[in-house]
Amino acid sequence: MVEIYDLHCHSTASDGALSPTEVIKRAHEQGVTSLALTDHDTIAGITEARTAAAASGIKLIPGIELSANWHDKCFHIVGLGIDPDYAPLAQATQTLQTVRLERAEKIAEKLEKKRIPGALEAVKRAAGDSMITRTHFADFLLSQHHVSTQQEAFDRYLARGKPAYVSTQWAELGQAINWITESGGVAVLAHPLRYKLTANWMKRLLTAFKEAGGQGIEVVTSRINADEIRLVADYATRFELTGSIGSDFHNPENQWVELGRLAPLPVHIKPVWELLEVRG
Ligand code: AMP
Ligand code: MN
Ligand code: MN
Ligand code: MN
């Protein structure tokens, strides 16, 4: 049987449009054999995903996508094969929910100053018990016709440097990596080219990431071309990191890429799933 890995995606536990059960079902329909659910700063979707995975025969890798600070910038660290019952990680997600709520209050205040009221109530309602993300704000701005696409909401209001941007104190990079590795997981640097780092800063980041115990890098992600895959694969080789593949799927309506529809990992790159299999 052909193994198809997709090791990065989102559900309604954070900013995905589908429930964990629906994500598993869709992944199965797309031929994915191993899926990691990696919601932003939460493990709340994993129990449901486990049940759905057992029913469909898909292998579920419990995951998370942690927001982390390094040199005052936010980076995303995917944790694969984490133990959702590991108390320090579970506690961290509780704290992060509060951090995200307080950030949401500040984003809403900034939108109000731009004469856009009602955002906080709307995103709280939309997120329910789940993590509030900027995607929820983008959807609110879209629904109120302040923008015509999600992308425009980020470009005009929510992205770094825009009027409703709030700089947030996430965990430090080393702390985020520790929560993952101490819970038995593998820390993977998510979508490395999305941070727009110079080659020099990328080297510094990967050095720090590796020193802190990071073991993988997403070589194949959505919206990345063959040259970019080669570039990231070179970083993987130079820094002795394993390679991961993840769609970062959020929404079937507004998708960057379908679940499981990704280029293969270059053959000379050691796959991150070899580490996961060793750990059982
Ligand atoms: P947050 O973690 O709350 O800051 O939200 C980050 C999420 O917003 C990312 O995971 C993406 O899903 C989404 N996002 C960030 N930048 C953009 C963008 N330019 N266009 C669309 N979605 C974005
Ligand atoms: Mn997201
Ligand atoms: Mn991300
Ligand atoms: Mn993601």
Side-chain angles (χ1 to χ4, degrees), residues 9-30 35 37-39 44-46 48-49 130 135-136 139 247 249-255 257-259:
C9 68
H10 298 272
S11 75
T12 46
S14 65
D15 60 352
L18 304 182
S19 70
T21 304
E22 290 165 336
V23 172
I24 297 286
K25 182 163 174 280
R26 192 178 181 97
H28 189 239
E29 285 164 4
Q30 297 297 329
L35 184 84
L37 181 66
T38 56
D39 275 304
I46 289 174
E48 183 186 322
S130 301
T135 308
H136 293 98
D139 288 344
S247 62
F249 176 88
H250 282 75
N251 187 335
E253 303 294 314
N254 176 20
Q255 65 193 35
V257 70
E258 181 57 88
L259 282 162

Side-chain angles (χ1 to χ4, degrees), residues 1 9 22 30 36 41 49 69 76 92 98 111-112 115 118 122 128 134 159 195 203 252 259 280:
M1 191 178 73
C9 68
E22 290 165 336
Q30 297 297 329
D41 301 320
N69 282 131
H76 285 177
T98 308
L111 286 173
E112 200 140 357
R115 284 188 253 155
R134 281 184 293 164
Y195 311 113
K203 277 187 239 159
L259 282 162

